[in-house]
Amino acid sequence: GAGVSQSPRYKVAKRGQDVALRCDPISGHVSLFWYQQALGQGPEFLTYFQNEAQLDKSGLPSDRFFAERPEGSVSTLKIQRTQQEDSAVYLCASSLLWDTQYFGPGTRLTVL
Amino acid sequence: ELKVEQNPLFLSMQEGKNYTIYCNYSTTSDRLYWYRQDPGKSLESLFVLLSNGAVKQEGRLMASLDTKARLSTLHITAAVHDLSATYFCAVYPNFGNEKLTFGTGTRLTIIP
């Protein structure tokens, strides 16, 4: 079946612009996760949802970062007033409850 | 705060040789995952280890877990070129939270 999809795959933003990154999880997956991966590093947790409830957002780096999953399926990660340090790959993953997380291809964000 | 460390960070080995990657974590955990990441690609799930003494094998890769030592190993037998990738271990911090904490990654290069 279809895996986790993310769009756009690549995004270039000027410093100060707002961006929105989309994640379509595997159908039926309850849990959805966002991670940030800097070049040469492991993924770092940002936030996660069970259905539409955001259960942990402790990894969001600042109040410029906001995530939502209003209907318990598709999720959007929004970054306001982007800064150069926001440049990274943003990975989305989904899973059945307490099960293996399956990752999407990621969105590579470059802030100029 | 849960910390996950891998060593070595970089590993260059010849085809046909055996080697082991180590993953140490700092607090008790319910489960541990191994993922593979090819350059520019997303993460692919390899193994999930759920209990002390668990061992999983797939082809030339074998993973094991010692929860008392807070240590997992990924053993590579008779390496072949297509195993070249970055390998991450990832740990759940405790029951009640699904977020994964990833290790630093081991970049494996198999030389013909």
Side-chain angles (χ1 to χ4, degrees):
Chain A
V4 178
S5 62
Q6 293 184 244
S7 61
R9 293 292 314 279
Y10 304 91
K11 177 70 178 178
V12 178
K14 292 184 179 178
R15 192 160 54 103
Q17 280 186 329
D18 297 348
V19 298
L21 313 180
R22 177 187 168 106
C23 173
D24 283 84
I26 293 171
S27 178
H29 277 193
V30 170
S31 300
L32 184 146
F33 307 82
W34 286 98
Y35 294 87
Q36 181 189 61
Q37 187 174 26
L39 192 63
Q41 304 291 319
E44 297 271 350
F45 170 81
L46 294 176
T47 185
Y48 94 99
F49 297 82
Q50 277 185 13
N51 297 305
E52 67 277 5
Q54 189 173 20
L55 298 189
D56 189 332
K57 54 182 181 179
S58 62
L60 296 176
S62 76
D63 59 7
R64 296 186 294 104
F65 287 70
F66 172 76
E68 60 183 5
R69 194 186 185 197
E71 296 178 359
S73 178
V74 170
S75 177
T76 304
L77 176 67
K78 297 179 180 177
I79 309 173
Q80 297 177 323
R81 304 181 304 282
T82 52
Q83 304 294 315
Q84 284 191 322
E85 61 262 28
D86 300 335
S87 296
V89 175
Y90 291 85
L91 294 167
C92 176
S94 71
S95 72
L96 297 171
L97 208 56
W98 298 108
D99 206 344
T100 299
Q101 294 181 25
Y102 295 91
F103 283 79
T107 295
R108 183 177 297 275
L109 173 65
T110 303
V111 181
L112 303 177
Chain B
E1 180 187 347
L2 172 62
K3 295 207 181 294
V4 182
E5 294 184 346
Q6 289 180 236
N7 69 82
L9 298 183
F10 299 93
L11 177 56
S12 182
M13 54 191 291
Q14 286 186 314
E15 279 189 330
K17 300 290 188 182
N18 304 333
Y19 210 80
T20 300
I21 299 170
Y22 298 89
C23 172
N24 289 90
Y25 52 98
S26 60
T27 64
T28 55
S29 171
D30 293 299
R31 64 187 65 189
L32 186 143
Y33 293 85
W34 284 95
Y35 283 88
R36 168 183 172 145
Q37 187 175 38
D38 292 291
K41 305 285 181 146
S42 192
L43 285 87
E44 173 190 354
S45 174
L46 295 174
F47 302 109
V48 54
L49 302 167
L50 298 176
S51 61
N52 188 42
V55 177
K56 294 278 185 74
Q57 182 162 6
E58 180 74 33
R60 300 174 187 273
L61 300 177
M62 184 174 71
S64 65
L65 179 62
D66 181 343
T67 58
K68 293 178 182 176
R70 298 178 187 167
L71 171 68
S72 180
T73 61
L74 180 65
H75 187 73
I76 302 148
T77 302
V80 292
H81 180 69
D82 63 8
L83 290 179
S84 295
T86 299
Y87 293 86
F88 292 98
C89 61
V91 178
Y92 276 124
N94 52 43
F95 193 84
N97 192 322
E98 294 186 77
K99 71 181 185 184
L100 284 172
T101 298
F102 280 81
T104 45
T106 297
R107 189 167 181 176
L108 174 64
T109 303
I110 309 295
I111 303 167

